[in-house]
Amino acid sequence: GGWYQRRLRGNMRTAISTIQCDASVNKLAISDESHHTIAIPFDNRHVRLYDLQGTYLTRLPRRSQPGHQRMVCSATWASDDNAANLFTCGFDNRTIAWKITVDHDSHR
């Protein structure tokens, strides 16, 4: 263990932010610098979006959108140049493409 390992251990003593969840969390995804958004897929068929400070932004699906019928096991972000920028997959054998736009200023 050199300097890097000692430095890494020192930085891991205190959490920068914590998100308390009411369901099991699966493979989360963090967006690029343009969104600064965390997508967290849950066992309860929802995906919740948070900012990097842990502030809740929204939930997928909204009432007007179809969503997963079973557990969501993974989420991944794509470039905003695409028609969709978030992809989720679940145990319902579906992959869903979402177009997410987040206004962080409205959630402060």
Side-chain angles (χ1 to χ4, degrees):
W3 175 86
Y4 176 75
Q5 198 171 27
R6 284 192 307 273
R7 175 86 174 146
L8 183 62
R9 272 198 303 261
N11 287 341
M12 293 177 65
R13 291 185 183 157
T14 306
I16 295 170
S17 77
T18 301
I19 299 171
Q20 184 64 41
C21 303
D22 59 359
S24 295
V25 174
N26 297 305
K27 187 178 179 215
L28 62 84
I30 301 173
S31 69
D32 64 11
E33 294 94 22
S34 66
H35 285 292
H36 299 287
T37 304
I38 304 169
I40 302 179
F42 290 94
D43 285 354
N44 66 5
R45 305 182 317 244
H46 296 136
V47 177
R48 293 187 190 140
L49 302 181
Y50 295 84
D51 67 15
L52 293 180
Q53 288 72 44
T55 303
Y56 174 81
L57 300 174
T58 191
R59 181 191 76 173
L60 303 173
R62 302 303 297 167
R63 296 196 192 286
S64 62
Q65 298 172 317
H68 288 282
Q69 301 303 310
R70 296 187 61 200
M71 181 176 86
V72 186
C73 55
S74 186
T76 189
W77 291 95
S79 167
D80 274 339
D81 298 337
N82 299 314
N85 59 356
L86 178 66
F87 296 86
T88 58
C89 62
F91 283 167
D92 54 3
N93 299 326
R94 296 174 63 201
T95 298
I96 300 177
W98 309 87
K99 182 62 175 178
I100 306 298
T101 54
V102 175
D103 180 10
H104 288 279
D105 292 331
S106 69
H107 294 282
R108 293 181 195 257

